[in-house]
Amino acid sequence: MLILTRKSGEMIAIGDDVKVYIQEIRGNQVKIGIKAPPDVTVHREEVYLRIQEENRAAALAMPDHMKAAFDQLRKQSAAQEKK
């Protein structure tokens, strides 16, 4: 882990495309601004963790949804074949 010390108004560059600006320091809170290309996602840690958990839950639920979708398609195909 790289640890840097910055003052308000200073910046940290990550590669060529991501810039982290120190906007304000007040007590034990630091307000930062992040400039990144649209294809780079930026989240607070708690939001990122919630997204990851929702993705895992969706992946586990997918087989049930897939089975239901296939069953529905089979019913529709059978109904069309009878016509």
Side-chain angles (χ1 to χ4, degrees):
M1 176 189 306
L2 175 63
I3 299 174
L4 302 171
T5 302
R6 300 279 73 200
K7 295 178 183 175
S8 184
E10 294 183 333
M11 185 266 296
I12 298 168
I14 302 173
D16 293 330
D17 298 331
V18 178
K19 308 274 190 270
V20 180
Y21 296 90
I22 309 305
Q23 301 292 318
E24 181 181 346
I25 302 170
R26 187 180 299 167
N28 66 348
Q29 286 191 328
V30 178
K31 185 185 285 187
I32 61 172
I34 301 169
K35 185 181 253 186
D39 61 317
V40 174
T41 58
V42 178
H43 300 288
R44 295 185 321 240
E45 181 183 28
E46 63 274 15
V47 172
Y48 177 77
L49 293 174
R50 190 171 68 233
I51 290 168
Q52 293 299 310
E53 182 56 37
E54 289 174 4
N55 287 344
R56 278 192 289 278
L60 292 174
M62 189 59 70
D64 292 338
H65 291 289
M66 293 293 286
K67 182 182 180 317
F70 283 128
D71 290 345
Q72 184 66 30
L73 285 172
R74 278 192 211 111
K75 288 178 187 176
Q76 289 175 353
S77 292
Q80 288 178 352
E81 288 175 7
K82 289 180 182 180
K83 290 182 179 180

